[in-house]
Amino acid sequence: MIRLLSRATLIFFVLLCSFAVAQPAQQPEHSKPEQTPRQALIEIITGGGKAMQKHITVEVLQLAAQASGKKNASTKGGQDVSRLLMELSSMPSLKGEKDLQTFDSGSVLLSFSPNEKERVEVRVESDDLSGNQDEIQLSLHVFRDGQEQSIPFMPAITVGLKQQENIWRLNELGGSAKLQVGDPKFFTDLLKFQQQDEQDAQVKKPNTDVTEKPAERPKMPAPSILSMLGFAEMRYAQTNPEIGFSCNISDLLANSNPSFSELLDPQIGNGTYNGYHFTVTGCEGKPASTFHLVAEPVMAGAGSQAFCTDATHNIRVSDDGRAATCLAAGRTMKAETHVSID
C-alpha cells in the first residue's frame, strides 16, 4: 500500500517540483483556444516541461528574458536560469499513459490504475473562480477491489491559477497532510495500513522454502578437477600411510580438507561429471605408490580431448579423446588449478 500511495502522489510531486524549477525563456502562446482553469491544470500535470513553459506567469517569463538577454553570461543569475530551464525542459510528459485518465468536468480530475485491483483518484474538492484567478483544492483517494481505503494521512493540495494574456498560469501551490491524531480511528487505520503493506510484501516475496533452489555450482573443467584430485591423492597417502594412494574417488573426496569440499562437486564421486568419465587406476601394492587419474569424454568425437595425471602432478592431454593415448603419449599442459593439501 505504501508503494501504491507513493506512485499515486507522483502527480502532486510533479506539480510541486515543476513550480520549483519554472524559469523558461519561451514566449507565451496566443494562438490556441482559451482553456478553462481546470483544463490548464490537467495540461500542467500531464504535459511535462513544454506545458509548464506555457503556463508559468508573465513575471517569471520576463525574469527569464532579462537573464538570457544579459551580455555577461557568467552572472550567477544567468547561470541559475539556464540550469533551471534545462531541468524544466526535461520534465517527462504523462500523456499517453494507458492507466491514466483525465476529466474536464465532474468531481474527479484524474484516475490512475496501477493494476487491475487498485485505483487512485485525484478529486476536485472545490473550485473557487473569481475573475481572473482560480483556486482549486485537490484530494487523493485510494481504492482496492472497488472499495475506498481508509488512509491515516490524506494528502491534499491547493493550486492557485491566474489568467494572463488569455492563458491560465500556475501562480500558487500549497500542500498539506491532515493527521487526526486525537481520533482513535487514526491509529486503527494506521495499523491496518501497515498490515496491508506487509501482506503485499509477503505476496511479492518468493517462498524460499518451496520455490527457491540452491545455487548451482559452477561447472569446473576436467583438467582442474584432475589437478585437485591429484593433490587429494597426496593428502590421502599422507593420512593413510598403510594404504597409500587410493583408486576410489569417493575416498579422495571424503578425506579432502574443507577447501576441497567447497570447490569439488560431490557428483564427481559418481565418476561422471560435466561430460567426462573420471577414473583412477594403477593403485598397486600395500601401500600403493602410484596412481593414474584420467578424464575421458562421455561423447567422443572430432575435437574431443582426454586428460590425465599421476604423482608428478603434470596434466597431460590427448586430442583423440582416449584416456589410453593420454597415459601413453599425452602432451603436457600447464595445470589450471593449484591447491594446498595442508
Side-chain angles (χ1 to χ4, degrees):
M1 180 67 76
I2 289 176
R3 288 180 291 275
L4 170 62
L5 186 58
S6 298
R7 193 176 180 191
T9 55
L10 171 64
I11 302 301
F12 293 104
F13 291 142
V14 168
L15 282 174
L16 292 170
C17 295
S18 299
F19 183 68
V21 300
Q23 305 287 337
Q26 178 176 312
Q27 293 300 318
E29 301 178 14
H30 300 282
S31 59
K32 293 184 179 180
E34 182 178 340
Q35 295 175 311
T36 66
R38 178 169 175 150
Q39 290 172 335
L41 178 57
I42 291 175
E43 185 175 30
I44 292 171
I45 295 174
T46 63
K50 184 176 181 180
M52 276 302 306
Q53 292 181 17
K54 172 184 175 181
H55 291 283
I56 62 173
T57 62
V58 171
E59 292 82 1
V60 175
L61 282 171
Q62 291 174 347
L63 176 63
Q66 291 173 3
S68 62
K70 291 181 179 179
K71 294 183 179 180
N72 186 3
S74 63
T75 61
K76 185 178 185 301
Q79 292 176 346
D80 290 342
V81 170
S82 298
R83 175 178 56 82
L84 292 173
L85 180 59
M86 292 180 61
E87 293 179 4
L88 178 63
S89 61
S90 64
M91 284 180 55
S93 172
L94 300 180
K95 290 182 178 179
E97 291 287 337
K98 63 180 181 180
D99 51 4
L100 178 67
Q101 292 181 297
T102 60
F103 305 92
D104 291 343
S105 61
S107 60
V108 179
L109 182 72
L110 62 86
S111 177
F112 178 72
S113 299
N115 53 59
E116 294 180 355
K117 292 187 176 183
E118 297 171 322
R119 187 177 84 258
V120 178
E121 288 184 356
V122 177
R123 293 181 180 174
V124 177
E125 297 297 329
S126 66
D127 189 346
D128 186 10
L129 176 62
S130 178
N132 65 345
Q133 296 195 28
D134 193 13
E135 183 177 276
I136 303 176
Q137 293 185 352
L138 307 173
S139 63
L140 181 68
H141 300 263
V142 179
F143 296 82
R144 183 189 294 272
D145 295 325
Q147 299 295 321
E148 183 169 2
Q149 304 298 295
S150 181
I151 303 176
F153 48 92
M154 177 60 68
I157 191 169
T158 300
V159 182
L161 302 169
K162 68 177 180 180
Q163 191 177 42
Q164 295 178 320
E165 300 178 352
N166 296 322
I167 297 176
W168 286 98
R169 305 173 189 270
L170 185 62
N171 188 46
E172 293 179 348
L173 284 174
S176 66
K178 185 181 295 184
L179 306 180
Q180 299 287 354
V181 295
D183 188 348
K185 188 175 182 299
F186 168 80
F187 295 96
T188 58
D189 288 344
L190 181 61
L191 180 60
K192 292 178 181 179
F193 192 82
Q194 293 174 338
Q195 291 174 343
Q196 184 63 58
D197 188 66
E198 291 174 358
Q199 292 175 5
D200 292 343
Q202 288 296 325
V203 170
K204 295 182 179 180
K205 182 179 179 180
N207 188 340
T208 55
D209 294 335
V210 178
T211 60
E212 185 174 342
K213 296 181 180 180
E216 186 177 352
R217 292 173 182 261
K219 297 294 186 181
M220 295 182 63
S224 297
I225 295 174
L226 287 183
S227 180
M228 297 181 71
L229 290 177
F231 281 103
E233 282 280 17
M234 299 299 293
R235 179 181 176 86
Y236 186 87
Q238 289 177 355
T239 57
N240 299 276
E242 74 284 0
I243 299 175
F245 297 124
S246 172
C247 280
N248 190 329
I249 295 179
S250 297
D251 289 343
L252 303 180
L253 296 178
N255 193 65
S256 61
N257 60 23
S259 64
F260 276 75
S261 300
E262 294 177 0
L263 293 174
L264 288 176
D265 194 319
Q267 185 181 348
I268 297 171
N270 298 328
T272 302
Y273 177 80
N274 197 22
Y276 277 86
H277 286 308
F278 292 87
T279 56
V280 190
T281 61
C283 304
E284 300 175 355
K286 286 285 186 177
S289 59
T290 61
F291 70 88
H292 301 289
L293 272 163
V294 297
E296 195 170 38
V298 175
M299 300 293 293
S304 61
Q305 295 178 317
F307 303 91
C308 59
T309 190
D310 52 25
T312 65
H313 300 299
N314 293 321
I315 303 296
R316 300 192 299 277
V317 57
S318 64
D319 295 327
D320 62 357
R322 299 179 59 189
T325 304
C326 182
L327 290 171
R331 69 179 187 277
T332 302
M333 63 180 296
K334 184 178 179 181
E336 297 182 10
T337 305
H338 301 278
V339 292
S340 172
I341 62 174
D342 295 335

